[in-house]
Amino acid sequence: MTTIAHRHNPAQKDPYTRYRRTLLSNEEVREYSQLRPGIMVRDVFLLWLFIFAAWTACAIWTEWWVVLLAIPVIGTRIYSLHVIAHDGLHRRLFDATSKNDLFCDLFILGSEGAVTHLANQNHMLHHRLLANDSDPDRHKYTSSNKTTRVQLLLMIVGLSGLVPLWRNVFKREKVKAPSLKKQKHTARDLVILVGWQGSLIVGLSLAIGWWAYPVLWALPVYAFAYCGDQVRFFLEHAHPEHDDTADEKRLITYTGNWFERTLFAPLNMNFHAVHHLWPSIPYYNLKKVDTLIRGRDGTDGMIWRSSYFGMLFTYFRALPLPDCARDLQPEDQVEATA
């Protein structure tokens, strides 16, 4: 058996178990976890309709200002699709796993260059290991690698997360878990991925111009679905303090205004604490459950913030944080094989 020994947090911990046990009954969890695929299919259809409408506008009017307006429209719609795909990673689109994965890959993730059965493994480990050093996504929300303003800005523009993203999704060597099966892309995956990218490149180039794929697809995906998600992920788990202290209070929900929710957390993704506590609850029920638990005892330690931009500014002003600098380097992690 292969394990990872750490200087800190040698044993996995879950400081949030008490919330799961007290805030919702088993009956309530089952009630709000019931799937209504019709809502999801409708949302996916409407989001793609917006994207195609933006592409059509650029094909008819190729003025620079039309393209400039189309980029955020396309990007925010892609990000909304990405949030639905996030439910797909939890197999919460349809009851049947095969149907869930096929729909998610065909209508969402394939267009982003990903497939459910590979992305799912990394994300499930994050849920299981939140607030542990072994969390493969820990680099996204820790303060130890965002102690200066330069480091924070590199996170915001997505550059600091590219290598860990590649390692987690494609190599998956950072965490060794007995239940984690080494998987590769299948022929079915490659057909979907190549089909999507080929269709996007050819279709957009013929309908609009050679520049349409990088400007009206690759750029919106990177700027909104990737960078936007990086910022959201960080703010919904982060504090401008040492990670050992922050690990006890990683459950953070944002109310935010319409603009912030559109940019960072569409389709109820801002109710992230509820999602982490009960990942079986689909996105269209998160707001209902958040309203429900706010009126109950036992939420001390959970945090509700009013603004993503406000918290980002607060964190920026607190920098530098020299006392929070990384004290556990990758080379300090020791693989022990027994």
Side-chain angles (χ1 to χ4, degrees), residues 85-226:
H86 171 262
D87 266 24
L89 298 184
H90 288 276
R91 274 55 189 266
R92 302 308 295 154
L93 302 183
F94 296 96
D95 288 321
T97 297
S98 58
K99 188 176 182 181
N100 176 97
D101 290 7
L102 183 61
F103 184 93
C104 193
D105 292 346
L106 278 178
F107 294 102
I108 308 176
L109 281 185
S111 68
E112 299 179 19
V115 288
T116 305
H117 74 94
L118 293 181
N120 157 274
Q121 294 197 359
N122 186 76
H123 190 66
M124 292 303 101
L125 282 175
H126 162 65
H127 270 264
R128 194 193 320 167
L129 299 173
L130 177 66
N132 284 268
D133 287 333
S134 298
D135 180 358
D137 286 335
R138 185 168 175 81
H139 64 95
K140 294 182 180 180
Y141 57 80
T142 51
S143 298
S144 60
N145 58 353
K146 303 174 191 67
T147 61
T148 68
R149 292 180 176 180
V150 171
Q151 289 177 327
L152 182 66
L153 290 174
L154 287 174
M155 181 277 295
I156 292 173
V157 299
L159 295 180
S160 62
L162 289 176
V163 172
L165 174 66
W166 177 81
R167 181 178 61 234
N168 289 345
V169 174
F170 294 101
K171 295 188 70 174
R172 297 189 295 283
E173 292 177 353
K174 186 176 181 182
V175 177
K176 301 294 192 300
S179 61
L180 185 63
K181 298 179 181 179
K182 187 70 172 179
Q183 296 189 38
K184 298 181 179 180
H185 287 93
T186 65
R188 169 260 199 200
D189 300 337
L190 296 177
V191 168
I192 292 175
L193 294 174
V194 173
W196 255 114
Q197 299 312 307
S199 298
L200 286 166
I201 293 172
V202 174
L204 290 173
S205 297
L206 292 176
I208 303 175
W210 63 266
W211 51 268
Y213 177 81
V215 174
L216 295 175
W217 184 255
L219 176 61
V221 168
Y222 183 85
F224 292 88
Y226 173 64

Side-chain angles (χ1 to χ4, degrees), residues 1-156:
M1 181 178 68
T2 303
T3 59
I4 300 288
H6 294 274
R7 180 181 298 168
H8 299 294
N9 300 331
Q12 293 180 14
K13 62 181 183 295
D14 185 354
Y16 314 118
T17 301
R18 61 190 177 99
Y19 299 115
R20 296 187 183 94
R21 291 175 176 172
T22 59
L23 291 179
L24 285 185
S25 66
N26 292 336
E27 292 75 17
E28 287 172 324
V29 174
R30 283 193 292 269
E31 175 186 352
Y32 289 106
S33 296
Q34 291 184 16
L35 299 181
R36 299 173 63 187
I39 295 176
M40 178 273 300
V41 172
R42 176 205 66 195
D43 289 345
V44 170
F45 173 79
L46 291 176
L47 291 168
W48 276 114
L49 191 63
F50 269 100
I51 293 172
F52 276 96
W55 285 339
T56 302
C58 291
I60 297 173
W61 303 286
T62 55
E63 286 82 356
W64 65 269
W65 60 270
V66 177
V67 175
L68 197 61
L69 289 174
I71 290 173
V73 171
I74 295 169
T76 53
R77 299 312 90 193
I78 294 170
Y79 190 21
S80 295
L81 286 168
H82 189 79
V83 168
I84 296 177
H86 171 262
D87 266 24
L89 298 184
H90 288 276
R91 274 55 189 266
R92 302 308 295 154
L93 302 183
F94 296 96
D95 288 321
T97 297
S98 58
K99 188 176 182 181
N100 176 97
D101 290 7
L102 183 61
F103 184 93
C104 193
D105 292 346
L106 278 178
F107 294 102
I108 308 176
L109 281 185
S111 68
E112 299 179 19
V115 288
T116 305
H117 74 94
L118 293 181
N120 157 274
Q121 294 197 359
N122 186 76
H123 190 66
M124 292 303 101
L125 282 175
H126 162 65
H127 270 264
R128 194 193 320 167
L129 299 173
L130 177 66
N132 284 268
D133 287 333
S134 298
D135 180 358
D137 286 335
R138 185 168 175 81
H139 64 95
K140 294 182 180 180
Y141 57 80
T142 51
S143 298
S144 60
N145 58 353
K146 303 174 191 67
T147 61
T148 68
R149 292 180 176 180
V150 171
Q151 289 177 327
L152 182 66
L153 290 174
L154 287 174
M155 181 277 295
I156 292 173

